[in-house]
């Protein structure tokens, strides 16, 4: 079992989790952080070592991210449980390059224009909030937040089709 807490690079983390093909539960913690609980189907029924390799394969991608912490329960060959704790503050580096900051020139241009003429009372955050409903996860490109608490999610659409728009709206 692995439990991961993160507040940055959420897109990279979700991608790593999905690529691992592990069962996962995502919980928003309400303070900009998310908790990810990972395991496999058999681990729900009994203690198993079956999913350790899938979890270990996530770590190089995770090491290229910021602001995360994980705790994993590892069962040794002798059956003895051990705990692994690791965080972005531990100073480990990965050969995996961090993800590009922007997916498109349009996104980069939006941030440049925003920074050139900020709107008083508003701040903009890049891919900072996961929208989670049941097993669906959506990560809007931007969150614009007013000091009053009003929040607006922005998704940049480049090339699109009517089907793509419908999928995004769902």
């Amino acid at each position: 079992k692995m439990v991961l807490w993160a507040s940055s690079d959420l897109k990279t983390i979700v991608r790593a989790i999905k690529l691992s093909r592990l069962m996962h539960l995502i919980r928003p913690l309400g303070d900009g952080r998310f908790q990810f609980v990972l395991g496999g189907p058999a681990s729900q029924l009994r203690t198993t070592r079956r999913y350790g390799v899938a979890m270990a394969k996530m770590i190089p991608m995770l090491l290229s991210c910021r602001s995360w912490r994980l705790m994993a329960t590892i069962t040794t060959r002798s059956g003895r449980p051990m705990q692994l704790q690791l965080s972005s503050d531990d100073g480990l580096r990965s050969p995996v390059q961090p993800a590009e900051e922007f997916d498109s020139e349009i996104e980069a241009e939006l941030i440049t224009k925003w920074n050139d003429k900020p709107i008083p009372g508003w701040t903009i955050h890049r891919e900072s909030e996961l929208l989670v409903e049941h097993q669906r996860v959506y990560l809007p490109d931007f969150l614009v937040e007013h000091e009053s608490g009003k929040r607006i999610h922005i998704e940049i659409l480049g090339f699109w089709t009517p089907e793509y728009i419908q999928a995004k709206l769902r």
Side-chain angles (χ1 to χ4, degrees):
K1 177 179 176 182
M2 180 188 289
V3 181
L4 171 65
W5 296 267
S7 61
S8 294
D9 298 317
L10 299 172
K11 185 177 190 176
T12 301
I13 291 168
V14 169
R15 182 177 291 137
I17 290 169
K18 296 238 181 226
L19 287 173
S20 74
R21 303 183 74 177
L22 293 167
M23 291 177 56
H24 57 278
L25 176 65
I26 302 172
R27 291 186 184 116
L29 299 177
D31 58 357
R33 291 180 313 127
F34 291 84
Q35 180 188 56
F36 305 87
V37 180
L38 300 119
S43 64
Q44 305 304 312
L45 305 172
R46 61 182 166 76
T47 302
T48 179
R49 295 174 49 233
R50 183 177 207 165
Y51 308 105
V53 172
M55 290 179 192
K57 285 182 178 180
M58 287 180 46
I59 292 177
M61 190 176 293
L62 196 56
L63 290 175
S64 69
C65 296
R66 299 164 288 149
S67 303
W68 59 270
R69 176 174 65 90
L70 77 77
M71 185 174 70
T73 303
I74 301 164
T75 305
T76 64
R77 289 192 190 279
S78 66
R80 193 175 107 202
M82 298 181 76
Q83 294 271 321
L84 168 68
Q85 293 187 35
L86 194 60
S87 81
S88 55
D89 296 331
D90 289 332
L92 297 174
R93 299 289 170 247
S94 172
V96 175
Q97 293 297 313
E100 293 289 325
E101 186 173 2
F102 299 106
D103 296 336
S104 70
E105 289 180 25
I106 297 169
E107 292 177 11
E109 186 177 329
L110 174 69
I111 286 291
T112 300
K113 287 183 177 183
W114 182 280
N115 290 335
D116 287 347
K117 284 188 168 184
I119 302 168
W122 290 88
T123 57
I124 191 166
H125 310 279
R126 171 84 173 117
E127 293 180 338
S128 65
E129 184 173 22
L130 285 176
L131 302 178
V132 180
E133 183 177 304
H134 306 294
Q135 284 302 101
R136 292 181 181 230
V137 179
Y138 185 69
L139 183 64
D141 293 323
F142 297 96
L143 169 65
V144 180
E145 209 166 14
H146 191 262
E147 58 194 20
S148 68
K150 184 171 182 130
R151 301 156 53 87
I152 301 168
H153 294 100
I154 298 174
E155 179 68 18
I156 304 292
L157 301 177
F159 176 77
W160 54 270
T161 63
E163 295 82 16
Y164 179 79
I165 297 289
Q166 287 304 312
K168 287 286 187 181
L169 288 172
R170 277 193 304 279

